[in-house]
Amino acid sequence: MLDHPAIPWPGLPTLPDAERIARAQGVRDQLRTRRTCRYFSDTAVPRAVIEAAIEAAGTAPSGANHQPWHFAVIGSAARKAEIRAAAEEEERAFYTSKASAEWIEALAPLGTDADKSYLAVAPWLIVIFGQRRGGILPDDDRQNYYVMESVGIATGFLLAALHAANLATLTHTPNPMRFLNTLCGRPASEKPVMIVVAGHAAADATVPRHALRKKPLEQIASWL
Ligand SMILES: Cc1cc2nc3c(=O)[nH]c(=O)nc-3n(C[C@H](O)[C@H](O)[C@H](O)COP(=O)(O)O)c2cc1C
């Protein structure tokens, strides 16, 4: 017979409904102040902040609890410069020929282009990889499940934790991203999903007005 030990979990402490609502609204209001930032300063951020944020990401739910993610953290100036150079090469090809006209049009209000200088300026780049195989033990080699969904949730936790530390972040997805396996020393079985840039916004940073337009509740939810 299989052994599936379980421990009692009585749930989190009870709260009055008004307090629950206030807390949820508080988290909403805090998350509303997050902005994708594309202009960073080189002001240092302690490694301990990044470590705690990755630990927060690591608490995310995942398919079969296999935790199919790896966070490659880059702080060295030389490695950041390599990533910038490789990303800009891909992005130049993307903006000049690879991207469809519709995609370029969708990106226009954000004002993005092939210049990714922030990759060399911000103190930390966190490259997130999804693992198709793994399992929970270090030497496991089992099928992982719902890899992209799990990585997406973990990345959300990571962004929320960095935001709670009042850091600026950017989710950057150079297209294609395979060069990140080589530069981060990760096996071909892992899929690079995105680079999270973390640091302080530059003093003269701006954000596109377009990004502030968020769909209202009526547009994103239905009640059945
Ligand atoms: C999966 C994903 C990929 C993204 N890729 C890029 C990117 O490569 N470059 C970029 O400048 N922004 C990128 N973004 C940021 C979006 O443009 C940004 O989230 C959106 O405009 C909304 O702005 P906000 O994050 O400030 O709310 C990406 C966001 C997501 C979720």
Side-chain angles (χ1 to χ4, degrees):
M1 194 172 130
L2 287 173
D3 182 23
H4 300 297
I7 58 160
W9 188 70
L12 298 172
T14 310
L15 285 178
D17 281 346
E19 176 67 15
R20 286 185 208 287
I21 294 165
R23 287 196 189 190
Q25 289 173 336
V27 172
R28 174 200 65 194
D29 292 343
Q30 203 220 9
L31 289 176
R32 275 183 173 161
T33 64
R34 185 200 56 79
R35 303 279 175 266
T36 287
C37 175
R38 299 179 181 85
Y39 306 93
F40 285 85
S41 80
D42 61 2
T43 305
V45 168
R47 174 174 160 152
V49 178
I50 307 300
E51 287 178 355
I54 293 174
E55 285 177 324
T59 68
S62 63
N65 194 30
H66 281 196
Q67 303 156 55
W69 42 64
H70 180 85
F71 301 86
V73 187
I74 295 139
S76 102
R79 197 58 69 92
K80 284 189 285 184
E82 282 179 338
I83 295 209
R84 175 191 174 182
E88 287 186 332
E89 196 179 322
E90 299 293 4
E91 293 284 284
R92 276 192 294 273
F94 174 82
Y95 279 97
T96 54
S97 56
K98 280 192 187 159
S100 66
E102 190 178 6
W103 198 340
I104 295 289
E105 192 189 321
L107 290 173
L110 299 173
T112 53
D113 57 25
D115 178 350
K116 304 297 170 197
S117 36
Y118 49 70
L119 291 172
V121 175
W124 297 106
L125 308 180
I126 307 167
V127 186
I128 302 155
F129 291 87
Q131 301 173 320
R132 278 191 287 272
R133 296 194 67 82
I136 192 161
L137 298 173
D139 294 328
D140 276 354
D141 180 30
R142 307 172 64 181
Q143 175 73 36
N144 286 335
Y145 304 96
Y146 298 111
V147 174
M148 294 309 281
E149 294 84 346
S150 304
V151 169
I153 296 171
T155 303
F157 281 25
L158 176 74
L159 292 173
L162 293 169
H163 177 63
N166 273 11
L167 289 180
T169 54
L170 163 66
T171 41
H172 177 42
T173 43
N175 187 351
M177 279 192 263
R178 274 289 166 195
F179 69 89
L180 290 167
N181 289 72
T182 315
L183 290 182
C184 298
R186 301 306 302 171
S189 58
E190 293 188 358
K191 182 178 162 47
V193 181
M194 64 187 87
I195 306 173
V196 169
V197 184
H200 296 278
D204 58 352
T206 60
V207 293
R209 201 179 285 275
H210 171 78
L212 303 184
R213 289 181 57 187
K214 299 301 184 197
K215 295 178 182 178
L217 184 62
E218 315 80 77
Q219 211 179 329
I220 62 171
S222 53
W223 310 82
L224 308 169

